[in-house]
Amino acid sequence: MSAGPALTAPSAAVPLASPQPRLLYDACPLCSDADISVLRTGDCSRHPLYKPVVAPVMTWMRCAACGHVFTDGYFSDEVSAEIFSATNPNQQPGAGFEQNRYISARIVERVARFVPDGRWLDVGFGNGSLLFTAEEWGFEPHGLDLRPSTAEGLRRLGIEAHCADLTALDAPGRYSVISMADVLEHMPYPGEGLAAAHRLLRDGGVIFASMPHYDCSVWRLLDAGEANPYWGELEHFHNFSRRRLYELMEEHGFEPLHYAVSERYRACMEVIARRVRVGSAKPRLIGGRLP
């Protein structure tokens, strides 16, 4: 296996007084338009990883220009480090590997229709199921995660893994596939993550992305029953519609190829998109036919 890219690991968690304020957005984090307003609030205090260093009430905003929905701010590096010091048991490498293998297999099978082999980088790999399964298809697995214990756990299983932010990777064109399964909504500025993925992928490489789907019937039904868990999702900063996700991908040099309903979590979608030159993705009509 070739030497890995140079990385900078996040600093260790330092106990903080509580609660710490979020770093506020003064404009939409996707389109930079300043016409943003409060949409609603949510309670994150019941999240299993909640710590009082974070305020229990989350405020969600909406951009009048592009329709994107996002929290009023994001966490500082110090707050993020404290939250990432804990991990859900089912997100440790190897947890539930047999049960998750079937869902991961259906994802890998779809991705392999477009890219059959090469290095597969899974960002925020959690229990590692997607990488374990990609390896069965002949891909060379690589992992990236912000939680030090998670990265160390994957290395103990013999897979190259690093604890770093995606934008810190210095390995242009190294990967054939980059998966961001339920990751973009965690990034303060998702466009930066897509730009990094574009730089790291080889020509014709693909990304796989999954996340909650804000503009679908299941979401609206959960809202109507006051049972939507995503308004209180501690680590989420964004709620994407399919339309807005496609637009953002196209802005950063990706052509959406395949849409599916995700089996990973409730009310979620997943998209496979191919790396093309920035600005050369085929134009797509809003509300047009799914690929």
Side-chain angles (χ1 to χ4, degrees), residues 10-11 13-14 16-17 19-24 53-54 73-84 146 188 237:
S11 55
V14 177
L16 300 170
Q20 296 292 306
R22 291 177 182 244
L23 304 178
L24 297 179
V53 69
V54 177
Y74 55 96
F75 303 139
S76 68
D77 290 343
E78 293 78 14
V79 171
S80 293
E82 187 155 331
I83 291 173
F84 292 150
L146 292 176
F237 304 130

Side-chain angles (χ1 to χ4, degrees), residues 38 40 72 77-78 143 167 183 197 207 213 223 258 281 285:
V38 174
R40 59 164 295 160
D72 64 346
D77 290 343
E78 293 78 14
T167 59
V183 167
I207 57 171
H213 187 179
D223 272 353
H258 183 273
L285 293 175

Side-chain angles (χ1 to χ4, degrees), residues 25-38 61-66 70:
Y25 293 113
D26 57 7
C28 174
L30 298 195
C31 75
S32 300
D33 194 278
D35 188 2
I36 58 177
S37 59
V38 174
M61 314 293 289
R62 187 178 186 278
C63 174
C66 74
F70 55 96

